[in-house]
Amino acid sequence: MKIALIGYGKMGKTIERIALERGHEIVSVIDIENVEDFESDAFKSAEVAIEFTAPHVAVSNIRSAFKAGVPVVSGTTGWGNEMPHVQKEIEANGYTLFWASNFSLGVNIFMAINKQLAHIMNRFPEYNVQMTEVHHTQKLDAPSGTAITLAEGIIENLDRKSGWHLETENNSSDIAIKAIREGQVPGIHTIRYESSVDSIEITHDAKSREGFALGAVVAAEFTAGKKGMLGMQDLLKF
C-alpha cells in the first residue's frame, strides 16, 4: 500500500519503520518545511496519509489531504472543538477520516474495561472517581486526548458524573483529571475509585511508542478504500 506521512517527528519515524516492515511504500513525507508537497503528484498517489502533528495544524493538514483526494488516519489530539465542522465536511463531500485519541490495542482494551467498571460503579455512589495521566514533556495538550476519551466513557455510564475538569473538581459532578508532564513517558493513565473504606484502581502504562505506531499502520490498512468517519470501534469491533 502507498502511504504518505504527515509529521516526521519521533512518532512519524516509528510509523515509517513499521509500515516498511509490513511491506508498505512511503511515497511522501510532509513536515513543517515542505507543506507545499500536499499538491505534489507523490502525495496524491498515496492510498492513505497518516497524520501525527500538533493541534494547531491538524485540521489544516487534514483538509489539505482531503483536497488532494487522500484519505487520512489521524492521531493528533487537542482539536476536538473543530471536530463537528470536519465531520460535516466529510459527510458532505465523501471524504475519509479515521481518527483516534489512541491507536494502541492495549489502550482500547483499557477503554472498554473503563466503561464496564463505570457501569458497575454506577450502583455504588459512595465511590468518587478521579483520573491521573502522565506524558512526556513534549506533549502539547492537557489533559491528553486519551484521558478525555476515558472521561467520556465514564460519563456515559456513571450517572453522578456529567463532565470533567483539569486538576480539580469544580463540583461533585466533575471528574478531576490531573495531567503530569515529565521526562520521556510515552503515556500512563490511571483511573481511581475511592470511598472511605477502600479504593479501586486501574492503570494502563505504555512502554514505548511501538504500540501506537503499529495501531496507526493497521488503521491505515483498514481505512484504504473506505469512506466516512471511522474510529477504533470500527476496526476492533469490541
Side-chain angles (χ1 to χ4, degrees), residues 8 33 45 77 90 99 110 139 145 153 158 164 187 212 235:
Y8 202 54
E33 69 278 358
S45 73
T77 59
I90 291 167
W99 180 84
F110 184 69
K139 186 165 182 61
L158 198 65
W164 59 267
F212 309 130
L235 174 61

Side-chain angles (χ1 to χ4, degrees), residues 184-205:
Q184 296 298 317
V185 179
I188 303 171
H189 293 84
T190 298
I191 296 161
R192 184 180 179 89
Y193 288 85
E194 188 156 6
S195 74
S196 61
V197 296
D198 61 8
S199 60
I200 300 168
E201 187 173 283
I202 58 173
T203 296
H204 179 272
D205 185 351

Side-chain angles (χ1 to χ4, degrees), residues 1-233:
M1 185 170 67
K2 293 183 177 181
I3 296 175
L5 299 179
I6 307 172
Y8 202 54
K10 292 179 181 178
M11 192 64 180
K13 290 180 174 68
T14 306
I15 290 169
E16 178 183 45
R17 176 174 56 77
I18 289 175
L20 293 173
E21 288 172 356
R22 291 174 70 87
H24 302 303
E25 178 184 0
I26 305 299
V27 296
S28 178
V29 177
I30 293 179
D31 209 17
I32 298 171
E33 69 278 358
N34 67 324
V35 292
E36 68 278 0
D37 282 3
F38 277 114
E39 299 179 8
S40 69
D41 290 338
F43 182 83
K44 292 177 181 179
S45 73
E47 295 169 74
V48 64
I50 302 178
E51 194 266 355
F52 275 81
T53 58
H56 67 283
V57 294
V59 175
S60 174
N61 290 335
I62 290 166
R63 285 176 172 148
S64 293
F66 286 166
K67 184 179 179 181
V70 179
V72 181
V73 170
S74 175
T76 304
T77 59
W79 57 278
N81 59 322
E82 297 187 64
M83 185 74 76
H85 304 294
V86 174
Q87 286 180 308
K88 287 181 181 178
E89 293 171 30
I90 291 167
E91 293 167 5
N93 298 285
Y95 298 144
T96 305
L97 174 64
F98 188 118
W99 180 84
S101 60
N102 196 306
F103 283 91
S104 161
L105 174 60
V107 164
N108 282 275
I109 293 170
F110 184 69
M111 287 176 175
I113 294 169
N114 170 59
K115 288 183 178 182
Q116 180 62 20
L117 179 57
H119 177 73
I120 293 169
M121 298 307 288
N122 198 41
R123 297 171 52 199
F124 302 98
E126 62 269 27
Y127 287 87
N128 191 35
V129 60
Q130 59 185 12
M131 191 186 313
T132 301
E133 57 99 341
V134 187
H135 282 88
H136 51 84
T137 54
Q138 291 80 34
K139 186 165 182 61
L140 300 177
D141 54 322
S144 68
T146 299
I148 293 171
T149 301
L150 288 164
E152 290 170 346
I154 295 170
I155 292 164
E156 288 172 11
N157 292 279
L158 198 65
D159 294 340
R160 58 187 178 272
K161 296 295 182 181
S162 59
W164 59 267
H165 196 265
L166 187 61
E167 300 298 339
T168 60
E169 292 180 1
N170 273 356
N171 54 65
S172 61
S173 63
D174 285 339
I175 302 167
I177 303 177
K178 184 176 183 180
I180 300 170
R181 298 290 174 265
E182 61 183 27
Q184 296 298 317
V185 179
I188 303 171
H189 293 84
T190 298
I191 296 161
R192 184 180 179 89
Y193 288 85
E194 188 156 6
S195 74
S196 61
V197 296
D198 61 8
S199 60
I200 300 168
E201 187 173 283
I202 58 173
T203 296
H204 179 272
D205 185 351
K207 297 180 179 179
S208 72
R209 292 181 173 84
E210 297 283 322
F212 309 130
L214 175 60
V217 175
V218 171
E221 294 167 353
F222 174 81
T223 299
K226 293 183 174 64
K227 296 289 184 183
M229 187 77 191
L230 305 168
M232 292 301 285
Q233 182 60 40

